[in-house]
Amino acid sequence: MAGIAGQTTLGQVLTAGPFSALARLQYRALASMRWSMFRNTLRTTQGVIELGARTVAFAFYTVMGLGMAAGFGGGAYAIAASEKWEILPALFWVLFLLWQVVPVTLASFQEHFDLGGLLRFPVSFGAFFLLHIIFGLVDASTMMGGLCCIGIWIGMMIARPDLYAWAAVALLFFAAFNILLVRAISAWIDRWLAQRRTREIVGALFFIGLLSMQLLNPAYWSSQKHPHVSDKTRAEGLRWLSKANSVQRWLPPGLAAFELERSAGDRPVAALEGLSLLGVYVLGVGSVLGLRLRGEYRGENFNDAPSHKKAERRAASSWLLGGSGPMAALMEKEVRVLTRAMPLIYALAAPLLMVFLLSGVFIRHGAASGHASSFSWLVSLAYALVGFTQLFYNNLGPEGPGIQILFLCPTPMRTVILAKNLFHSLLFFVDAILVCIISSLRIGWPAPAAIAATAAWALFALPVHLAAGNAFSLNMPYRMNLGRITRQRGSQASALFSMLIQLGVLGIGAGVIAACSFLDKLWLATFVFVVLAIAAVIVWKRVLDGVDAMAARRQESLMATLVRTE
């Protein structure tokens, strides 16, 4: 790309449009570079594994998207065939929420390409913006959302063939809005959480909101005890629903449904008005994204590098942890890294909110004992473990160029990994306690036998993930950008295998508890998990003993992967 830019002046490059001849040459050069990188990675075993993992992930997202597309297509067909257009906005709102939620739930299992490296070359802002959108089209949310839009269009076309053009245009505008909104939200979240002060404000608001939602729990259960709804309450609810319906008609999902409803009623002028307003939303969210990318394009980089005064105060401050051994120093380093690593903070905090939301699927049973389901804590802890995926399975990723210091210092790599494992274990137990408290406040405390079995399962699951994570961290590492939640490069193979291990550990726990519950001997599950925990600890120790030899064999690969600039 530097050779391409050298043929013209810098002013011509920066003012060139996104579809100019120079921009097309740059796109071709970027595609050629990506193809060469892909072809060269296939020469290594890890590259072949990564390709297989990407293929499996693509097939999984495609199957999931096709299933969702069939559901949305069936719903669109039923609505169009029965002429019940008042239900159509609900279909678009569900698709809108799914489109925005999928990137959050799959953040730990997706690989992204960071376009910040292109800013080293003289690329115009239009080309940079367009490339940012194009690379966003390969996200799982875009893939599944696009398939759902196609499903809705097919359902509409089968029921009302005369609406194929109107439906295609409306769905195209709606898809463009969602794609731009996902990218804008992720870009601005990275911007807001890149500075410590805004990070603290957002964290405080998150926990205040989480605690405030607990106030809904007594109201929910009181309504369950008194299910009868008075006429006054029903009328008040219908009044609020009417107001909400009048508001949603002016929002993008409501406008897309409005455009199809008016086109079905042979009112093209009204349909064009709704389509025009939807286009205004698309331009608006694109402008918001462009504003953020413009700052990044001009070199705006909010990192955690301290100012000179802060560095002096920090140098004069005492250590957080006492002790003169390497373990104390390594543990303190992990604490300091965690406080500045936004992807890790987000991964640890997200399960707290999701457990609160998902705990509602468990129904109280056993009114005499007042105990919750035996699986409530198990599922909650399993979801909490998902947040530790990057900590367990890429524990060297936050080091970045600092991996060179670890190889130069006299401290064995076994001691480094052991300190990381101990710190991550303490962190997991704190997160597990919070998750169990939230789950218990929502749906009640499980039976004592279920509590003991779940605690024993956690003692089994933790060393399994630590042992697998140590092996993955040395064989499939990837550099982590500590200042960003999104656009992490990642390793698709590591994400896939870690997900399979988590599902396997959860399946073992659920199977043992279900079998013991069926035999009415739930206390037996505790004994089984204790035996499995002892075996898992032995395996973890054996893997830990081989860390030094493994790190020595992988030293060059580790440094090449973690030191290189994105």
Side-chain angles (χ1 to χ4, degrees):
M1 295 182 68
I4 295 173
Q7 301 173 6
T8 57
T9 63
L10 180 61
Q12 291 175 333
V13 172
L14 299 180
T15 58
F19 302 103
S20 62
L22 178 61
R24 292 196 299 271
L25 288 175
Q26 291 176 335
Y27 302 153
R28 191 180 307 167
L30 180 61
S32 176
M33 179 189 68
R34 295 287 295 174
W35 171 250
S36 299
M37 292 172 60
F38 169 74
R39 186 178 53 191
N40 292 333
T41 54
L42 295 181
R43 299 176 181 176
T44 62
T45 303
Q46 184 175 350
V48 176
I49 296 175
E50 288 285 346
L51 177 61
R54 290 194 186 100
T55 304
V56 172
F58 178 80
F60 174 76
Y61 295 144
T62 302
V63 171
M64 184 184 297
L66 290 175
M68 295 168 59
F72 278 98
Y77 173 81
I79 292 172
S82 60
E83 299 289 338
K84 295 182 178 180
W85 299 105
E86 64 275 6
I87 310 176
L88 188 60
L91 193 70
F92 279 94
W93 274 106
V94 172
L95 178 56
F96 169 77
L97 293 176
L98 287 175
W99 209 315
Q100 307 306 316
V101 169
V102 166
V104 177
T105 56
L106 299 179
S108 298
F109 304 103
Q110 292 191 86
E111 180 183 5
H112 300 275
F113 178 70
D114 187 10
L115 293 173
L118 295 179
L119 298 179
R120 302 187 188 96
F121 305 99
V123 179
S124 66
F125 174 72
F128 177 70
F129 183 87
L130 182 61
L131 287 172
H132 188 87
I133 300 302
I134 291 175
F135 276 90
L137 297 178
V138 297
D139 285 346
S141 61
T142 304
M143 185 188 308
M144 290 188 284
L147 289 175
C148 290
C149 288
I150 294 175
I152 293 176
W153 182 74
I154 293 175
M156 285 283 182
M157 188 176 60
I158 295 176
R160 292 287 302 271
D162 56 307
L163 298 179
Y164 78 96
W166 287 105
V169 175
L171 291 168
L172 181 63
F173 275 60
F174 184 69
F177 170 79
N178 282 280
I179 293 172
L180 293 173
L181 183 61
V182 169
R183 306 298 289 179
I185 290 175
S186 62
W188 278 102
I189 286 179
D190 286 335
R191 164 64 179 83
W192 290 330
L193 299 184
Q195 292 178 297
R196 189 169 185 176
R197 180 173 299 177
T198 55
R199 194 159 59 227
E200 292 172 350
I201 294 174
V202 173
L205 293 176
F206 171 78
F207 284 106
I208 290 174
L210 190 64
L211 294 174
S212 300
M213 285 191 292
Q214 299 294 338
L215 300 176
L216 300 176
N217 202 41
Y220 172 76
W221 288 113
S222 63
S223 64
Q224 294 296 312
K225 295 178 181 178
H226 306 284
H228 178 70
V229 180
S230 63
D231 295 337
K232 181 180 179 181
T233 303
R234 185 181 294 106
E236 186 71 15
L238 292 175
R239 187 172 65 86
W240 280 103
L241 286 176
S242 177
K243 289 184 178 180
N245 182 52
S246 61
V247 172
Q248 68 87 24
R249 292 169 63 92
W250 297 95
L251 298 176
L255 288 173
F258 176 83
E259 187 266 349
L260 288 175
E261 180 183 357
R262 292 298 180 267
S263 60
D266 294 330
R267 299 173 59 184
V269 176
L272 285 174
E273 291 177 355
L275 191 62
S276 301
L277 289 176
L278 186 57
V280 171
Y281 274 104
V282 173
L283 293 177
V285 72
S287 301
V288 172
L289 175 60
L291 184 64
R292 174 80 285 273
L293 294 182
R294 172 67 72 174
E296 186 176 339
Y297 178 77
R298 291 178 175 177
E300 186 179 76
N301 183 19
F302 293 89
N303 53 33
D304 286 321
S307 63
H308 181 67
K309 293 182 178 180
K310 289 183 178 180
E312 290 180 352
R313 291 198 301 267
R314 189 172 297 167
S317 62
S318 60
W319 283 35
L320 298 175
L321 301 176
S324 58
M327 293 293 292
L330 290 169
M331 294 278 280
E332 177 165 353
K333 181 187 71 67
E334 292 298 318
V335 173
R336 294 185 182 274
V337 169
L338 180 63
T339 57
R340 295 165 176 81
M342 283 314 303
L344 302 181
I345 295 175
Y346 170 78
L348 297 178
L352 300 178
L353 179 61
M354 296 304 296
V355 165
F356 173 83
L357 298 176
L358 296 178
S359 58
V361 302
F362 293 99
I363 303 175
R364 284 179 178 264
H365 64 279
S369 60
H371 295 309
S373 170
S374 301
F375 296 93
S376 59
W377 274 24
L378 178 68
V379 176
S380 300
L381 288 178
Y383 200 90
L385 279 169
V386 174
F388 285 79
T389 301
Q390 296 185 76
L391 280 175
F392 289 162
Y393 291 85
N394 188 38
N395 54 35
L396 293 176
E399 302 293 338
I403 190 68
Q404 303 172 93
I405 306 300
L406 296 181
F407 280 112
L408 290 175
C409 69
T411 304
M413 186 59 68
R414 182 185 184 279
T415 304
V416 175
I417 298 298
L418 177 60
K420 288 177 176 290
N421 288 170
L422 292 177
F423 175 74
H424 296 161
S425 300
L426 293 175
L427 201 62
F428 168 70
F429 283 125
V430 173
D431 203 49
I433 292 173
L434 293 176
V435 164
C436 291
I437 291 175
I438 293 174
S439 176
S440 300
L441 291 177
R442 282 280 288 161
I443 58 177
W445 293 86
I451 294 177
T454 306
W457 174 83
L459 295 177
F460 154 68
L462 182 60
V464 170
H465 289 300
L466 290 177
N470 292 338
F472 278 48
S473 300
L474 291 170
N475 290 281
M476 288 183 286
Y478 55 92
R479 183 175 178 179
M480 186 182 301
N481 190 331
L482 301 182
R484 286 179 175 172
I485 293 178
T486 58
R487 289 180 283 175
Q488 297 287 338
R489 293 184 64 88
S491 170
Q492 198 67 56
S494 178
L496 177 63
F497 291 142
S498 64
M499 182 173 62
L500 293 177
I501 293 174
Q502 290 174 9
L503 291 176
V505 172
L506 176 61
I508 292 174
V512 171
I513 292 179
C516 294
S517 298
F518 179 76
L519 298 175
D520 200 17
K521 296 181 179 180
L522 191 55
W523 284 105
L524 183 62
T526 304
F527 174 76
V528 174
F529 287 134
V530 168
V531 174
L532 292 176
I534 295 174
V537 170
I538 295 174
V539 173
W540 167 73
K541 188 178 183 302
R542 289 182 63 87
V543 173
L544 189 65
D545 292 338
V547 161
D548 286 327
M550 197 182 306
R553 292 194 304 267
R554 299 279 303 170
Q555 180 175 352
E556 293 185 2
S557 177
L558 283 169
M559 296 179 66
T561 303
L562 299 179
V563 176
R564 69 182 180 185
T565 307
E566 294 183 351

